[in-house]
Amino acid sequence: MKTIIIQLVASFLGSLGFSLLFNVEKKKLLPCSLGGVFIWGVYLFCTHSLGLGDLAASAVSAGACQLFAEGMARLMKAPTTIFCIPALVPLIPGGSLYRTMDAVIARDWEKFYTNGAATLQITFGIALGLSLISGLLFTLHRKKKIEKN
Amino acid sequence: MDQNENKALLQGLLDFGEAMLCAGAEIGRVEDSLSRLCAAYGAEKADVFVITSSIVLTVQFQNGETLTGTRRIRKSGDLDFEKIAGLNALARESASSPVSIPRLKEKIRSIDGGCPRPLLLYAGSALASGAFALFFGGSPWDGLFSALFGLLICFFQRSLSKKSPNKAFFLFITSLICGCVICLLGKALPFLHVDMIIMGDIMLLVPGIAITTAARDMVIGDTISGATRLLECLVWAGMLAGGFMLSLLILGR
């Protein structure tokens, strides 16, 4: 439990730090940072409670991230990416990339394969989640427009 | 509109696209905004082709004139959301009520000219790298030292990256220097966890956001941009990993 709380607080600060780096406007800093906490919460829920693997868990959390960002974008009238990117930051597989490198130096090829695979799965899981949800929203939006006409 | 105005408009639109692309906007957004702007300024038809390194814009005007312009984009700028938001708002605003072309150019220049305050960049780097050292399970000391190296990396990014021939070289040198100093510190201060500090600092350098957006671009159909970006990012990630690995090899884990 303690590690989970530390991770959630750290993901808030991490997302806040990246928001500053990406020159996010002041009044959007809080939603961007809270987005990071929310996404990491979703990821932890997926891996711990649902027992999903890296690929599925990161796809679901990235999908949640896209939904969150689209919602915030409508609410605050700004491009979606502004809320999406900082919130995604905790998902970036920096840890597993390091462990992959470390395994190469130690010539521990088994560890290399598991961590390398995790890095790739998380990366493509994120891409999958983002594009599927944005595609779905696009289609729904179009459908509404067509019905209106 | 006469010919000169048409030419001025084309240049203005290319300026707009360049500013937006350099601020790190998605390919789709740049193409969308440019098409919308073309329509707003009374173009009969506009063909926009944007990839990460170039913009090609052909506009067919109502007087029958057709103009094509190309803009080569060399810098892969850092993400700047305030610029993207500003340019996006400008595109929307102009799409409903187009301002005069000189005014448009002026507005683009004023949005593009702004740069983030250095203090905020340093604060952001330190905060992010420190927080991620804790995130990966480091002690408060690891977080503190990771934040200090975050400041160093930010300094490198602001000074060394302009003098580097390319980003791959910059990443290799930066990660090598940081890796060596972190390893030495780890030997001098045994209560530090070298791996946690490196993980925190890797987050600042790793092109994680760029890789995921590149992969997304490929999935949604901007295949060329996505693929070039993805390869570029893999090279960067490799150089980054190489620099850290070399430092760990030289000084021992």
Side-chain angles (χ1 to χ4, degrees):
Chain A
M1 196 60 210
K2 199 182 151 207
T3 48
I4 291 180
I5 292 170
I6 290 178
Q7 283 187 358
L8 290 175
V9 173
S11 56
F12 178 85
L13 295 176
S15 289
L16 178 64
F18 272 92
S19 308
L20 291 176
L21 275 178
F22 297 154
N23 199 14
V24 170
E25 207 190 334
K26 257 195 204 108
K27 65 175 182 197
K28 296 181 194 121
L29 282 176
L30 189 65
C32 285
S33 321
L34 284 176
V37 180
F38 168 62
I39 300 316
W40 191 248
V42 173
Y43 184 85
L44 286 178
F45 179 73
C46 288
T47 48
H48 284 41
S49 307
L50 302 180
L52 295 180
D54 287 330
L55 183 72
S58 49
V60 171
S61 355
C65 182
Q66 183 74 27
L67 271 180
F68 163 81
E70 299 255 2
M72 286 314 298
R74 275 188 200 146
L75 215 66
M76 302 195 77
K77 302 216 181 342
T80 317
T81 24
I82 297 185
F83 303 101
C84 185
I85 303 284
L88 269 184
V89 167
L91 282 182
I92 294 176
S96 55
L97 180 72
Y98 175 79
R99 284 189 284 271
T100 314
M101 276 163 28
D102 197 45
V104 174
I105 296 172
R107 293 174 199 278
D108 182 346
W109 301 119
E110 203 174 318
K111 200 178 146 204
F112 171 76
Y113 287 127
T114 46
N115 283 301
T119 311
L120 288 180
Q121 283 185 34
I122 294 171
T123 307
F124 284 94
I126 296 172
L128 204 66
L130 289 184
S131 44
L132 286 183
I133 293 296
S134 71
L136 190 71
L137 291 175
F138 181 84
T139 314
L140 290 176
H141 193 62
R142 266 293 147 86
K143 207 177 133 209
K144 246 191 234 160
K145 258 190 189 164
I146 293 167
E147 275 166 4
K148 253 186 208 166
N149 293 336
Chain B
M1 264 197 261
D2 64 28
Q3 273 191 336
N4 282 335
E5 262 189 14
N6 288 349
K7 272 185 192 150
L9 177 62
L10 187 76
Q11 288 308 320
L13 291 174
L14 286 173
D15 286 347
F16 180 87
E18 182 178 6
M20 211 173 190
L21 204 54
C22 285
E26 315 98 291
I27 302 295
R29 181 181 301 281
V30 180
E31 288 189 344
D32 245 31
S33 309
L34 282 178
S35 321
R36 245 187 267 164
L37 278 175
C38 288
Y41 280 94
E44 195 102 302
K45 191 173 184 309
D47 292 286
V48 192
F49 177 67
V50 179
I51 55 174
T52 348
S53 51
S54 150
I55 301 174
V56 181
L57 177 60
T58 299
V59 189
Q60 196 180 319
F61 292 95
Q62 269 158 351
N63 62 0
E65 193 186 9
T66 303
L67 286 177
T68 298
T70 307
R71 192 62 65 87
R72 171 80 164 100
I73 312 295
R74 287 206 179 272
K75 47 184 177 188
S76 55
D78 299 316
L79 270 179
D80 189 327
F81 283 137
E82 203 162 324
K83 268 184 205 170
I84 297 180
L87 291 165
N88 198 58
L90 177 62
R92 276 170 182 268
E93 206 178 286
S94 319
S96 51
S97 56
V99 291
S100 74
I101 295 162
R103 185 93 188 86
L104 179 75
K105 280 190 168 176
E106 204 177 288
K107 280 190 171 180
I108 295 168
R109 220 171 298 136
S110 80
I111 295 172
D112 197 30
C115 59
R117 298 224 315 272
L119 187 67
L120 287 182
L121 293 179
Y122 278 109
S125 291
L127 193 58
S129 54
F132 278 108
L134 297 177
F135 181 84
F136 290 121
S139 67
W141 279 112
D142 298 335
L144 182 68
F145 276 90
S146 185
L148 289 178
F149 281 100
L151 292 177
L152 182 68
I153 289 174
C154 188
F155 173 71
F156 280 152
Q157 262 161 347
R158 294 178 51 79
S159 57
L160 187 64
S161 72
K162 289 188 191 95
K163 290 176 196 134
S164 302
N166 50 52
K167 186 152 180 181
F169 177 81
F170 165 74
L171 284 174
F172 186 80
I173 295 295
T174 306
S175 56
L176 181 63
I177 295 174
C178 288
C180 285
V181 182
I182 293 172
C183 281
L184 286 176
L185 260 179
K187 287 192 196 303
L189 307 166
F191 57 88
L192 291 179
H193 304 94
V194 170
D195 46 351
M196 298 300 163
I197 300 177
I198 293 185
M199 275 188 225
D201 288 318
I202 273 186
M203 292 296 282
L204 287 182
L205 293 169
V206 78
I209 293 293
I211 287 184
T212 49
T213 48
R216 186 203 47 199
D217 277 349
M218 280 180 76
V219 177
I220 63 176
D222 292 318
T223 320
I224 300 178
S225 298
T228 45
R229 237 319 147 66
L230 194 65
L231 275 179
E232 202 174 49
C233 290
L234 288 178
V235 171
W236 290 344
M239 293 302 268
L240 170 71
F244 275 118
M245 268 161 46
L246 188 59
S247 67
L248 290 171
L249 272 179
I250 295 172
L251 294 164
R253 292 194 300 143

